[in-house]
Amino acid sequence: MPVEMSRERFEELVADALDEVPQELLDLMRNVVILVEDESPPGEPELLGLYEGHALTTRGWDYAGVLPDRITIYRNPILRVCDTDDDVVEEVAVTVVHEIAHHFGIDDDRLHELGWG
């Protein structure tokens, strides 16, 4: 049975996860916004999070005038895969780190090797 949690509480968990990211990394993040949505995009596999944009490692001299990258954390899919509130806290933290890593150009294979898959 999925965990039930208000959107407000879930957003607090995302903020708490961001607070755990070392400030040195947060200072390096450029032109990125972090959002919470209830559901992942229809017609796609159910996602817990999604990074959309241009990783820092691919930005060149011509990177300018673009909309911010987006990191989206999907509330209901995370709640559906968790059994307890503690599971949600852990999954949110893992998902936030996973998507931030994509902003830094780290791919899924490497994230799985590092235990953040």
Side-chain angles (χ1 to χ4, degrees):
M1 177 138 215
V3 175
E4 292 187 25
M5 181 178 291
S6 71
R7 183 177 176 105
E8 179 179 292
R9 174 68 178 130
F10 189 86
E11 289 176 354
E12 288 172 3
L13 294 180
V14 172
D16 291 347
L18 287 168
D19 287 343
E20 295 300 316
V21 175
Q23 189 61 47
E24 298 81 19
L25 291 179
L26 292 176
D27 290 344
L28 295 173
M29 293 177 66
R30 297 284 183 260
N31 200 31
V32 62
V33 62
I34 299 173
L35 307 167
V36 172
E37 296 290 340
D38 285 334
E39 296 293 343
S40 59
E44 305 242 352
E46 188 163 79
L47 301 172
L48 305 183
L50 179 64
Y51 172 74
E52 299 171 282
H54 304 276
L56 293 176
T57 55
T58 65
R59 295 179 185 182
W61 63 269
D62 58 345
Y63 178 83
V66 299
L67 293 174
D69 292 4
R70 293 170 40 123
I71 291 174
T72 308
I73 308 300
Y74 297 109
R75 183 173 72 94
N76 289 331
I78 289 176
L79 296 178
R80 284 193 284 271
V81 301
C82 294
D83 294 321
T84 67
D85 284 0
D86 288 341
D87 291 344
V88 176
V89 170
E90 183 176 337
E91 189 57 54
V92 166
V94 168
T95 303
V96 167
V97 168
H98 182 103
E99 301 309 330
I100 287 173
H102 287 318
H103 179 68
F104 285 98
I106 301 172
D107 66 18
D108 282 330
D109 291 338
R110 182 66 178 136
L111 284 166
H112 285 280
E113 289 172 14
L114 296 170
W116 294 99

